[in-house]
Amino acid sequence: MSALEMIYGTPAGKFIAKKMGLTEPPRLRRGRTMPTGPVVLGELEGAGLGREVLTLLGVTPGQPLLDLAENRTPDQKGRQQPPRYQQKPGALLIDATGVREIAQLEGFRQLLRPVMRGLEPSGRVIILATDAAEVEGLEAKAVAQGIDGINRTVAKELRGGATSNLVFVEGGAGAADLASTVSFLLEGRSAFVSGQTWRVGPAKVAHEVSARPFAGRVVVVTGAARGIGAAIARTFARDGAEVVAVDIPQAGDALAKVANEIKGSALQLDITAADAGERIAGHIAQVHGADKKIWAIVHNAGITRDRMLANLDEKLWGSVLDVNLAAEIRINDFLLGNDVPGGFADEARIVGIASTSGVAGNKGQTNYAASKAGVMGLVWAMADELADRPITTNAVAPGFIETEMTAAIPFVQREIFRRTNSLSQGGNPVDVAETLAYLCEPASGGVDGQVIRVCGQNLVGA
C-alpha cells in the first residue's frame, strides 16, 4: 500500500487528514505511459529542433493555440479571457532554442498562460533552450538564465500533478541526442522530477530510443536488497537488463529474493573492501560469461549515521564517507583502469546517488551531506576526466522518498517533509529508479556530468 493510500485510502486516514486540514495530493502518472491528451508544440522564433525530436519519437504535435481574435470572450466581469487550446493538452513542448532577446520571452507567457490551469492531470511542460555558454552577448546569456526562472516558477504554479522541466541544449546536439530526454519527460517515468534544469550535448556514439534499452546488457546495482535499491534492480530488469544485485552479506536473504524475482544474480559484498571492484568484475565473468561487460553501474549503497556535529565521533564520521563516497571512487578506479573480463564496456554508464541534503545541507547530517555533495563533485570531475571516452557519469539527488527508513519518522514531521514540494507528497523508490535508468540508456549518451534532483521540486535547496 502506498503512502497516499495509507493516509487517504482508509476511513481512519481520511479522518486524521481532514482534522489536520490536509487535502489529498494528486495521483501521479508513472511508468512508461504517455499523456492521454495531445502533445502541443510551441515554437518560438528560431525553433525547429523540438519538431525534429517529436518526429523521431513518433509523436504528432496537437493543435496549437486557437486564433486569438475569434476564440476569446469576456468573462462575467468583462475581463478578456486568455486564448485556449483546441483540446486540453497532455503536454506542452516549448522550443525556445532560438530565443536570445528579452522581448522574445513574451512568447513564453502567451504559450504557458492557457495551460497553467488547463493541462490534464500529470501533464507536462518541457522547455528546450540553448545553453548560455553557446550564445553570444550579455542579453542572450541573461535571457537563458531568465528561462530557468520561468521554468522553476511554472513548476510551482502548475496543478494536478503536472510538472515543468528545462533542458539546455549544448553546442552540436541534435534531435537524436535529445530524444531519450524528451521521451523520459513526456512519460510517467519523470513523475517526481519537476522544476529541474539540466544539459544535453552531442553523444559520442549514436543510439535510438528503445522500450527495452538494456536487453542483453549487464547492470550492477549496489545496495539492492531493499528499498530504493530493489526498485532500481526491478526497473532495469523490466527494461531488459541482466542485473547483478550487490549488498552486504547480512542482507543475503533479502538480496537473493530480489535477484531471483528479476532473474538476475546476487553478489554478497561489502563495497568498502579494497578489492570490491575486482570481485564485481570476477562475479560477472564467472556467472554471466567471460565475454560480458558492465554496461552500467549504479552506486546506490549508502548509510546514515546522523548526529549533531557536536556529538559526531570519528567512527560515525568516517563510516558514512567511506560507504557513500570513498568506496564508489575505489570501485570506479579499478573498473576504469583495468581492462578485465567482467569490467566496464566501452560505453559504460556510471551513476551515483546524491541527495538534496548534499545540495542544501541538513541539520544533524554533516557527514551525510559531505558524502552526497562529494558524489556531485565526483560526477562533475569525472565527466571532464573521461571526456575523450564514450563513458558517461551522472547522478540523481532524491528528496523525500517513501521508504522503510522514512516511515519511521513521526507522522507530523513526515507529513511536513511530504508537503514541502510542488507536488505535495513524497516520492516513490521507483521515481529514483526511473531517472537512473534514463541516465543509463544507450540513447542518453549526450547526458553527461549532470545531477538531476528527484524531489518533486522540494523547497530545500530549490
Side-chain angles (χ1 to χ4, degrees), residues 108-173:
F108 282 94
R109 189 193 67 82
Q110 293 180 10
L111 289 168
L112 286 164
R113 190 181 176 201
V115 302
M116 296 310 296
R117 300 178 182 178
L119 275 179
E120 71 179 20
S122 287
R124 298 286 188 265
V125 172
I126 305 168
I127 303 171
L128 303 181
T130 301
D131 185 46
E134 309 295 336
V135 299
E136 295 184 1
L138 293 178
E139 183 174 359
K141 292 181 182 296
V143 164
Q145 195 62 34
I147 295 173
D148 185 54
I150 292 172
N151 169 60
R152 295 180 188 276
T153 305
V154 166
K156 290 178 178 176
E157 294 185 7
L158 287 170
R159 304 176 175 186
T163 65
S164 178
N165 290 285
L166 166 62
V167 178
F168 278 124
V169 182
E170 295 183 328

Side-chain angles (χ1 to χ4, degrees), residues 341-408:
F344 272 152
D346 291 340
E347 298 177 60
R349 307 288 191 247
I350 302 170
V351 287
I353 307 290
S355 169
T356 51
S357 293
V359 175
N362 196 26
K363 186 177 180 180
Q365 287 195 317
T366 312
N367 50 358
Y368 184 76
S371 70
K372 294 306 183 179
V375 169
M376 294 188 287
L378 180 63
V379 161
W380 298 327
M382 287 182 66
D384 289 337
E385 284 196 1
L386 298 172
D388 60 343
R389 299 172 66 176
I391 295 175
T392 65
T393 175
N394 297 284
V396 300
F400 183 82
I401 305 296
E402 304 282 358
T403 64
E404 291 180 7
M405 182 175 66
T406 58

Side-chain angles (χ1 to χ4, degrees), residues 150-358:
I150 292 172
N151 169 60
R152 295 180 188 276
T153 305
V154 166
K156 290 178 178 176
E157 294 185 7
L158 287 170
R159 304 176 175 186
T163 65
S164 178
N165 290 285
L166 166 62
V167 178
F168 278 124
V169 182
E170 295 183 328
D177 301 306
L178 290 160
S180 70
T181 298
V182 173
S183 177
F184 167 72
L185 290 173
L186 285 173
E187 293 184 3
R189 293 182 290 155
S190 59
F192 208 57
V193 179
S194 190
Q196 303 308 304
T197 298
W198 64 95
R199 288 160 173 77
V200 178
K204 296 183 178 72
V205 181
H207 292 275
E208 294 183 357
V209 173
S210 168
R212 285 176 61 81
F214 307 111
R217 293 182 164 99
V218 173
V219 175
V220 177
V221 181
T222 68
R226 58 179 59 85
I228 293 175
I232 294 168
R234 293 186 183 105
T235 299
F236 276 95
R238 177 203 67 188
D239 290 349
E242 298 177 33
V243 176
V244 178
V246 181
D247 216 314
I248 55 177
Q250 297 92 312
D253 289 344
L255 182 67
K257 184 177 179 180
V258 171
N260 290 336
E261 174 192 336
I262 62 175
K263 296 179 172 59
S265 67
L267 172 60
Q268 296 183 20
L269 173 68
D270 181 347
I271 62 166
T272 63
D275 63 345
E278 184 176 1
R279 290 174 63 183
I280 289 171
H283 171 88
I284 292 168
Q286 180 179 1
V287 176
H288 294 262
D291 61 334
K292 287 289 187 176
K293 294 283 189 176
I294 299 171
W295 173 262
I297 184 166
V298 182
H299 292 287
N300 167 72
I303 62 172
T304 57
R305 298 292 184 267
D306 296 350
R307 295 284 191 281
M308 298 294 284
L309 187 57
N311 302 319
L312 195 59
D313 63 29
E314 183 178 2
K315 182 178 179 181
L316 295 178
W317 178 270
S319 61
V320 170
L321 286 166
D322 196 28
V323 173
N324 296 2
L325 182 59
E328 180 174 338
I329 293 174
R330 287 192 296 267
I331 292 171
N332 288 342
D333 283 349
F334 175 83
L335 295 173
L336 287 168
N338 296 276
D339 184 12
V340 296
F344 272 152
D346 291 340
E347 298 177 60
R349 307 288 191 247
I350 302 170
V351 287
I353 307 290
S355 169
T356 51
S357 293

